[in-house]
Amino acid sequence: MGQEHLVGHGSETGAVLLASIGRRLVRYRLGDDGFVERDRLELPLAVQYACFHPARPIAYVACSNGGVASAGDRHCLVQVSLDDTGMQMAAEPVALPYRPLHASVNTEGKRLTLAYNRPAAVTLHDLDDDGRVAPRRRLLAEGTALVGYFPHQVISMPGSRDLLLTCRGDDAGQAGEENPGSLRVLRDEGQTLACAQTVAPDGGFGFGPRNCAFHPRGHMLYAVLERQNRLAAFPYREGVIAPQPSWDVELLENAGNVRRPQLGGAIAIHPTGRYAYVVNRAHPVADGSGPLPAKAMTCGENSVVVFELDAQTGEPREMQRLALDGLHARCLALTADGKVLVAAPRQAGRFMRDDGRIVECTAGFATFHVADTGRLTFIRQDVVDVGNDQLFWTDFAPV
């Protein structure tokens, strides 16, 4: 796609990006020559996900010694101060019950919620006026009857105090039959969380949502179906999601030749509400389940797909597709002004193209300029040395 550059330590301007490499939380600033590392902080356990307070310079970092294939036995939430003196832990880590996958804070900055996949669970934590986790209340909801199978994301719902829990489900395999996916509306009832609505087309079978985003106008919900490599659009009104999507569109360029693991990923919606950006992610494996072998294997699609969103109906229509020079971009970050988009390939590695050529890949940041038309123009690729770790999470800090 373009020339690769090492992350520098020179002049800094522009937006602030946070990223995790194993236990390290690294803060970058976007400069004239790409991303400049500003500072880093070593955390007690490996970073799984993070989110930001809407009005205070605080990041809430979910950590665990578990990983994609292991539950782990130590998990915590770290509150990190992001002031100009440098990143530092703002309080003692808060113990968590399981490995956390996702975290979000409501727009008022009064409630932090985390999602866990194995076992399926959600925790809700009150925040005090300083943005710190308050000890006065912590709700735990668990069990598939309440929180479904494989919760992967939990976010606030527009115009409502309810939460949207995105449950990916599981494909059928050696471990057992398919577990259905669902979208679940959770309601805070003071002492408990209750499920106010479940959306599961066809009973949730063949429905595997991973990441969701609401349209800025609050009338549509867009769900990336990880297991089906599709984008579904659901009408949303007065806190209720339509039971069936109005649109369900393909994400892959070559859906007839899928090389597993091939997964739909992160979604970002432009602040104007006119465009959506979705990641396709893949990495080569020997047999679909093991690590990358010494011999390079073929790989699925790694790309960013741009959709134009119809102003009246919300229908997504593909308008651009760009291949990524990297493996498995787990995260997608869009600046608040909608002018810069970053995809973050998580790992170094190598794969074999169909013509037999071996391609060497690095972890890092693929940076794009976003035009007023929503179209992307590649700017540069910054290499991040992750060693034996992965670039597991990244996002722009709020202004």
Side-chain angles (χ1 to χ4, degrees):
M1 182 183 294
Q3 186 176 1
E4 293 182 338
H5 309 268
L6 292 175
V7 171
H9 295 79
S11 61
E12 54 181 54
T13 60
V16 173
L17 185 79
L18 265 68
S20 72
I21 306 167
R23 291 170 51 183
R24 288 168 286 160
L25 187 67
V26 187
R27 179 162 53 170
Y28 302 90
R29 191 174 289 274
L30 183 58
D32 295 334
D33 297 320
F35 284 98
V36 177
E37 183 179 326
R38 182 174 177 183
D39 54 359
R40 58 176 59 194
L41 179 66
E42 193 84 4
L43 297 180
L45 301 167
V47 175
Q48 309 297 310
Y49 198 83
C51 64
F52 302 98
H53 192 281
R56 295 185 177 276
I58 299 174
Y60 304 92
V61 187
C63 302
S64 174
N65 67 345
V68 174
S70 62
D73 58 5
R74 290 187 294 144
H75 327 281
C76 66
L77 174 74
V78 181
Q79 300 160 82
V80 176
S81 171
L82 301 175
D83 60 30
D84 291 335
T85 62
M87 293 190 297
Q88 55 188 334
M89 290 194 292
E92 287 297 313
V94 176
L96 298 175
Y98 314 117
R99 175 186 171 239
L101 260 67
H102 188 268
S104 65
V105 178
N106 66 347
T107 55
E108 295 80 19
K110 295 296 185 181
R111 184 180 68 189
L112 170 71
T113 315
L114 295 103
Y116 312 80
N117 66 329
R118 303 193 192 281
V122 171
T123 55
L124 184 150
H125 310 255
D126 285 337
L127 301 177
D128 64 21
D129 292 340
D130 294 323
R132 306 277 183 91
V133 174
R136 59 179 176 265
R137 187 177 71 130
R138 188 196 82 164
L139 300 183
L140 170 63
E142 57 185 334
T144 56
L146 178 59
V147 296
Y149 293 94
F150 204 113
H152 198 283
Q153 180 199 46
V154 59
I155 58 177
S156 296
M157 299 180 68
S160 171
R161 286 183 50 80
D162 293 342
L163 298 161
L164 173 66
L165 183 66
T166 304
C167 302
R168 192 204 69 176
D170 301 281
D171 285 330
Q174 293 182 349
E177 297 180 351
E178 178 183 0
N179 290 320
S182 60
L183 303 174
R184 291 172 179 254
V185 178
L186 300 184
R187 183 159 297 162
D188 181 357
E189 296 189 337
Q191 300 302 315
T192 61
L193 287 173
C195 184
Q197 183 188 8
T198 299
V199 175
D202 297 322
F205 294 98
F207 180 69
R210 180 186 192 269
N211 287 89
C212 287
F214 285 96
H215 191 281
R217 282 173 45 199
H219 69 302
M220 295 295 296
L221 170 66
Y222 296 92
V224 177
L225 308 185
E226 176 188 274
R227 297 190 288 132
Q228 290 75 39
N229 299 289
R230 301 184 70 82
L231 176 65
F234 293 82
Y236 173 75
R237 184 178 181 183
E238 297 179 352
V240 177
I241 304 167
Q244 298 288 335
S246 294
W247 292 277
D248 183 345
V249 298
E250 181 61 60
L251 290 176
L252 299 176
E253 183 174 31
N254 190 2
N257 184 28
V258 176
R259 290 168 172 156
R260 304 290 181 185
Q262 181 70 69
L263 304 167
I267 179 173
I269 296 184
H270 195 273
T272 63
R274 296 167 58 192
Y275 314 104
Y277 305 89
V278 182
V279 163
N280 290 309
R281 58 204 174 98
H283 57 271
V285 295
D287 57 3
S289 61
L292 180 65
K295 178 183 177 182
M297 306 296 290
T298 57
C299 184
E301 297 180 30
N302 286 284
S303 61
V304 177
V305 187
V306 185
F307 292 92
E308 183 177 20
L309 306 179
D310 187 278
Q312 299 301 318
T313 65
E315 178 185 0
R317 303 188 190 101
E318 183 180 333
M319 59 178 282
Q320 189 183 18
R321 178 181 296 271
L322 296 96
L324 291 173
D325 284 344
L327 301 174
H328 201 117
R330 190 171 184 270
C331 293
L332 192 67
L334 181 66
T335 53
D337 60 8
K339 293 183 178 179
V340 177
L341 183 83
V342 169
R346 74 178 189 184
Q347 65 196 71
R350 57 205 296 263
F351 71 94
M352 184 173 63
R353 291 168 52 103
D354 290 342
D355 61 8
R357 184 167 67 91
I358 303 300
V359 179
E360 301 283 348
C361 298
T362 58
F365 307 122
T367 305
F368 301 87
H369 169 70
V370 184
D372 292 341
T373 61
R375 295 183 67 85
L376 302 180
T377 301
F378 178 73
I379 299 174
R380 59 183 285 133
Q381 188 109 356
D382 286 307
V383 176
V384 175
D385 182 5
V386 297
N388 294 324
D389 291 313
Q390 295 181 346
L391 187 59
F392 206 67
W393 170 85
T394 190
D395 200 2
F396 284 107
V399 177

